[in-house]
Amino acid sequence: MKARLVDHVATFFFWLGACIILVLLGVLVGYVLFKGGKWLDLAFITRPPENLKAGGGVGPQLFNSFYLLVLSMLFTIPLGVGAGIYLAEYAGSGDVNPALALPRSKRATNYLLAALNLSIETLASLPSIVVGLFGLLVFVVSTGWGYSLMAGALALTVLNLPVMVRISLEALQAVPRDLKEASLALGASRWETIWKVVLPAAFPGLVTGGIITAGRVFGEAAALLYTAGMSSPVLDFSDWNPLHPNSPLNPFRPAATLAVHIWKINSEGLIPDVRRVADGSAALLIIVVLVFNLLARWLGNVLYRRMTAS
């Protein structure tokens, strides 16, 4: 009787915690959409911002957010998944003790694993403002690029890489061992097993990692203030040459994202309709993140069914 009562109480608190999270999310999203949704129209979404007069939009900032996402993911996903594959398939569990009396080659591997795990944990605990200052010194000043999308993408890669590595590692370790052994027993090499068996089976978890890191790209502002900048040149959408200074595809131009634009107009904005632009930008950012998550989940499920023939 006592065990059943404890089970019911624990179940109640689990449901209560889940409901509280859903209610908080619903209240937050509903409030932002209620305050800013009324300002959203095609002109606001496509028009460039104004510096002094009313009536501006967030078209370049929205484009910059998606372009920065693509650039950042080009670095984050291969590095994160690659490190996860190494830790899960080649280095064992990663729980190592370099002081063990092992052969020299094994001790070297253990020291490498210990250094890798320490680096991942340290990077994961760094505040975004510290990553932004690091990006300012390395990607902005040392490279001579100045404030640019590329500097912002590399800074966000440093910020998101630990998350992507950990999620990839957990997704790969969750693949049943029987699948790997069956593939190896049929004559497949280790790499063929990883590429054709392990990665497709771990694909849903890898998609989750990509969505989480993408969400951080959309919402990050502190690191981008020091790397990508707070302003954008006048973009010429008729010129898609990435080497042209005003081309939208030029990765070495300064670019303010939606999150940075919201911070800027709230702290330094001189336009008379600052409240309209701030509320509309926040609502648009929420909608973009929600739509992106839903589309990424849908596309991930479609690819997973095709990869696994299920």
Side-chain angles (χ1 to χ4, degrees):
M1 185 67 181
K2 184 179 179 180
R4 183 177 298 178
L5 177 61
V6 172
D7 179 70
H8 288 323
V9 171
T11 303
F12 168 77
F13 279 106
F14 291 150
W15 276 100
L16 179 63
C19 291
I20 290 175
I21 292 175
L22 290 175
V23 169
L24 288 176
L25 178 61
V27 170
L28 174 63
V29 173
Y31 177 79
V32 173
L33 294 180
F34 173 76
K35 297 290 289 186
K38 58 187 175 183
W39 305 117
L40 297 181
D41 55 25
L42 185 60
F44 180 80
I45 295 174
T46 58
R47 188 180 300 167
E50 296 288 349
N51 294 323
L52 297 175
K53 62 180 182 178
V58 291
Q61 285 73 23
L62 180 61
F63 177 83
N64 293 337
S65 297
F66 279 102
Y67 192 25
L68 185 66
L69 172 67
V70 173
L71 289 177
S72 177
M73 291 297 101
L74 286 177
F75 297 110
T76 303
I77 292 179
L79 291 175
V81 175
I85 291 174
Y86 172 76
L87 290 172
E89 301 297 330
Y90 292 94
S93 63
D95 298 327
V96 295
N97 184 0
L100 292 176
L102 298 171
R104 180 176 299 178
S105 60
K106 186 64 176 178
R107 290 202 306 270
T109 302
N110 281 0
Y111 279 115
L112 175 62
L113 283 177
L116 184 57
N117 284 323
L118 177 62
S119 300
I120 293 172
E121 294 168 2
T122 303
L123 285 175
S125 63
L126 286 178
S128 59
I129 193 71
V130 175
V131 176
L133 292 173
F134 169 80
L136 174 66
L137 294 175
V138 177
F139 304 132
V140 175
V141 177
S142 298
T143 60
W145 295 340
Y147 294 111
S148 64
L149 279 163
M150 184 61 70
L154 292 175
L156 290 178
T157 300
V158 174
L159 189 65
N160 284 330
L161 200 53
V163 178
M164 193 67 205
V165 172
R166 285 304 181 192
I167 294 177
S168 300
L169 176 60
E170 293 176 3
L172 294 167
Q173 287 179 335
V175 176
R177 187 178 182 86
D178 294 343
L179 290 178
K180 307 175 189 177
E181 293 176 349
S183 176
L184 294 172
L186 291 173
S189 64
R190 192 172 190 179
W191 173 244
E192 287 176 333
T193 299
I194 293 173
W195 182 251
K196 297 183 179 180
V197 177
V198 176
L199 285 178
F203 191 74
L206 299 179
V207 171
T208 299
I211 292 174
I212 292 175
T213 53
R216 298 184 71 183
V217 172
F218 278 121
E220 182 57 44
L224 297 178
L225 292 174
Y226 297 99
T227 52
M230 294 185 290
S231 61
S232 300
V234 178
L235 301 181
D236 183 7
F237 284 93
S238 63
D239 186 356
W240 295 96
N241 180 8
L243 300 179
H244 193 278
N246 291 336
S247 171
L249 296 183
N250 182 7
F252 296 100
R253 60 174 177 84
T257 62
L258 266 178
V260 172
H261 186 63
I262 293 172
W263 177 89
K264 180 182 177 181
I265 60 176
N266 276 294
S267 59
E268 303 177 358
L270 301 177
I271 54 178
D273 59 343
V274 61
R275 192 74 272 147
R276 177 190 72 89
V277 178
D279 291 345
S281 299
L284 181 60
L285 183 58
I286 288 285
I287 293 173
V288 165
V289 171
L290 289 176
V291 172
F292 176 83
N293 286 351
L294 292 174
L295 289 177
R297 290 286 184 186
W298 173 79
L299 182 60
N301 290 333
V302 171
L303 293 176
Y304 177 70
R305 287 194 295 268
R306 290 188 177 182
M307 294 171 67
T308 58
S310 61

